[in-house]
Amino acid sequence: MNEPYDVLLDTLTPATTRESTLPELDRKPDPWESSMQATCECLSWRGAFDNLERRHAEDALGETIYHDFPVRARSAVVTAHTLMERGVISPEELRARMDVVRERFHRE
């Protein structure tokens, strides 16, 4: 059913848990989260993916397809989902780029 988006669903590991309390949600963002927010702001600023549209997509997709993802990861997942939906990047291209990033992490 979600075949093109399986590349995103495959990133959810069994150890991943969704935040359930305010202290879990009210924390300092990790560096990747701040970078992701900056990327979303740039996409909005350039008219590629409006922030309000992204937030609506996060609400809709975050409570359906991506409900098991941590709240702070949803911006990344929903943005990638939308970019694939619009044909900006294919699932194969995204998977290849994710593999490159994983390889970099394993080298360090």
Side-chain angles (χ1 to χ4, degrees), residues 60-75:
L61 295 171
E63 292 304 321
T64 56
I65 297 172
Y66 303 117
H67 68 276
D68 289 330
F69 280 81
V71 171
R72 291 182 180 258
R74 290 185 189 165
S75 290

Side-chain angles (χ1 to χ4, degrees), residues 36-90:
M36 181 61 209
Q37 289 305 314
T39 299
C40 289
E41 290 297 324
C42 289
L43 289 170
S44 181
W45 176 59
R46 290 304 214 177
F49 190 27
D50 181 70
N51 277 333
L52 183 59
E53 182 184 1
R54 177 180 50 84
R55 288 185 189 112
H56 287 306
E58 283 180 36
D59 289 344
L61 295 171
E63 292 304 321
T64 56
I65 297 172
Y66 303 117
H67 68 276
D68 289 330
F69 280 81
V71 171
R72 291 182 180 258
R74 290 185 189 165
S75 290
V77 175
V78 169
T79 298
H81 179 107
T82 302
L83 294 176
M84 285 191 295
E85 191 174 64
R86 293 180 180 181
V88 175
I89 189 168
S90 72

